[in-house]
Amino acid sequence: GGKDAINTTIINFNNEKMQITWATRELLPNENVSFFYTFGEGKHKVWKPCTTYLLYQDYNSGCLFKTEGPTLAISIRNSNGSEELFSKNLKADFYIKPSRPENVTFFWKEDTVTVSCNKPLRAAWCLRLELQYKSKFDKEWQSRTSKCCSVGEQGFDPRKCYSFRVRLKRLVPYCNVVKYSSDWEAETFWMNGTLLDSCDDDITPQSKTVIVLSCSLAVLLMMFILLILLCKWQRVQMSVLPAIPDPKYPFADLFNDHNGNLQEWLDKNDHVVLQTKLEYEEPESITEAESQQEDEKNSDKHGPLEKIFTFSGAAENNDQKAAEIACLIPASNTTASFAGFHILMNDDMYVML
């Protein structure tokens, strides 16, 4: 217990605005507190009540107010301000948290990069510029620090994309009693002196062209393979499942001339087929007949060795049985005639009608 038992956090934002926070809930769990401050010196201080409180679980936990001088006195009191619970005098300049660096520029020369920013108007010697960078192959940031407001580093690989970020730091203990640094400036991405939107865009135009050509060749190769497979599949399909011909084309006259009447088509085509067959066989028959006549002439010269049976004559005789026997058992070296054809027969042959 005592006036120094309350923990406080003091931040002077770029010497423009003060933020004081405290932890009184452990000492006064059910009581709210009030806050007063002054930048005046001497015995006759003019205390100002806090007008902008920071709340935590509906209780006052901090105060925001304008920075009005290098020295500051604060007082934490009970809810009505009649009893002082904590008080402290401090140098406001020792709690400065700098703002982000302004107008950050990058200068590239071969494998060396130099980063600079605008110099603050006040106490620039108390500030250090910190540069952090990493490539997409690095897991942790690399850090370099230099006087405000320029820092350089070398050894950058022009084939890699790097992420950069910078901030300002306040020197301790010469200028600050707390290690306060500014927030990081927006992260930027660079590759060989070229600013990129992100390290995902570090593909060069040449590599893009190579990728496009590779994709095109792959597509053409796939199309060629598909055509080969399609041709082979058609051959296999034709060999395994041959196409059934459409009867409409070989029998066009059946459907066009006879309207599908099969009997009428057969009657007509039987006459045509018979006539065609006779025309085809007539020269051969004539040749065979001439050959038979020459054989008969030769046989007449040697003697009556052959006996001629005429089927038509056998059919005209009344003795049908004799005709059948004559047909079934022809004599040796007998010539049989039927429908204008002469057939030379021997003992090993028979004729069926």
Side-chain angles (χ1 to χ4, degrees):
K3 292 186 178 181
D4 295 333
I6 299 177
N7 293 326
T8 58
T9 301
I10 303 167
I11 303 177
N12 184 359
F13 290 103
N14 201 36
N15 209 26
E16 296 174 357
K17 184 177 288 188
M18 299 291 302
Q19 175 182 292
I20 312 294
T21 57
W22 54 83
T24 59
R25 295 298 307 278
E26 297 179 357
L27 299 176
L28 305 171
N30 298 320
E31 184 177 355
N32 214 342
V33 296
S34 58
F35 180 81
F36 294 85
Y37 68 94
T38 181
F39 285 94
E41 297 181 0
K43 297 181 179 180
H44 303 286
K45 297 179 180 178
V46 180
W47 293 95
K48 297 180 181 180
C50 179
T51 58
T52 305
Y53 278 102
L54 304 177
L55 302 179
Y56 177 73
Q57 296 181 353
D58 297 332
Y59 285 89
N60 297 335
S61 62
C63 181
L64 282 175
F65 53 95
K66 184 179 179 181
T67 303
E68 298 176 358
T71 60
L72 174 65
I74 59 176
S75 175
I76 298 177
R77 305 176 185 179
N78 60 2
S79 58
N80 58 17
S82 60
E83 180 183 358
E84 186 176 80
L85 304 176
F86 175 80
S87 64
K88 186 175 183 177
N89 296 323
L90 52 94
K91 287 285 186 179
D93 292 345
F94 285 173
Y95 297 89
I96 293 179
K97 177 182 175 66
S99 298
R100 292 178 179 179
E102 299 179 353
N103 194 22
V104 179
T105 58
F106 289 79
F107 176 75
W108 288 78
K109 185 177 181 181
E110 297 178 353
D111 65 338
T112 303
V113 61
T114 302
V115 183
S116 59
C117 66
N118 290 347
K119 181 180 291 188
L121 298 178
R122 295 181 55 188
W125 65 273
C126 286
L127 298 175
R128 293 293 181 268
L129 182 64
E130 182 182 10
L131 169 67
Q132 287 190 348
Y133 62 90
K134 68 176 181 178
S135 70
K136 62 180 182 180
F137 304 102
D138 299 327
K139 296 182 178 180
E140 297 181 355
W141 291 93
Q142 304 294 325
S143 182
R144 294 291 182 272
T145 304
S146 183
K147 293 182 180 180
C148 185
C149 291
S150 178
V151 58
E153 181 62 14
Q154 62 182 4
F156 291 97
D157 190 342
R159 297 169 298 179
K160 293 182 180 180
C161 177
Y162 292 90
S163 304
F164 290 91
R165 62 182 185 180
V166 293
R167 67 179 178 179
L168 290 172
K169 299 175 64 175
R170 185 88 170 171
L171 287 178
V172 177
Y174 306 103
C175 301
N176 262 32
V177 294
V178 183
K179 293 181 179 180
Y180 281 149
S181 302
S182 70
D183 296 332
W184 290 104
E185 181 61 13
E187 188 175 349
T188 57
F189 307 92
W190 294 82
M191 180 178 179
N192 197 22
T194 302
L195 180 64
L196 303 176
D197 294 333
S198 69
C199 279
D200 296 333
D201 302 332
D202 61 345
I203 303 176
T204 59
Q206 182 178 1
S207 60
K208 289 183 178 179
T209 305
V210 172
I211 291 175
V212 171
L213 291 177
S214 301
C215 292
S216 302
L217 291 176
V219 171
L220 292 176
L221 181 60
M222 289 297 296
M223 293 177 63
F224 181 70
I225 294 175
L226 288 175
L227 288 175
I228 293 176
L229 293 177
L230 182 60
C231 294
K232 289 188 176 181
W233 170 249
Q234 289 180 350
R235 290 182 181 179
V236 172
Q237 189 176 15
M238 290 178 64
S239 61
V240 176
L241 299 174
I244 300 175
D246 191 351
K248 179 178 179 181
Y249 299 100
F251 304 98
D253 54 347
L254 173 62
F255 299 98
N256 297 332
D257 301 338
H258 303 283
N259 295 324
N261 192 332
L262 181 61
Q263 187 60 44
E264 181 180 344
W265 179 78
L266 288 174
D267 293 341
K268 181 179 178 181
N269 282 274
D270 283 345
H271 174 70
V272 174
V273 172
L274 181 58
Q275 183 178 359
T276 304
K277 184 176 181 181
L278 291 175
E279 291 177 356
Y280 175 76
E281 293 180 351
E282 184 176 0
E284 184 178 357
S285 300
I286 293 173
T287 304
E288 290 182 357
E290 292 177 353
S291 177
Q292 292 294 334
Q293 290 177 3
E294 291 179 358
D295 292 338
E296 289 177 359
K297 290 180 181 180
N298 294 330
S299 63
D300 291 341
K301 294 180 181 180
H302 295 287
L305 299 178
E306 298 177 353
K307 186 177 180 180
I308 300 175
F309 290 88
T310 305
F311 293 115
S312 58
E316 291 176 357
N317 292 333
N318 294 326
D319 194 355
Q320 185 176 359
K321 184 176 181 180
E324 292 177 355
I325 294 172
C327 292
L328 295 175
I329 308 176
S332 178
N333 297 327
T334 300
T335 301
S337 299
F338 177 73
F341 297 95
H342 300 278
I343 305 172
L344 181 63
M345 307 179 65
N346 54 30
D347 294 338
D348 296 331
M349 299 180 63
Y350 66 93
V351 178
M352 293 182 64
L353 295 180

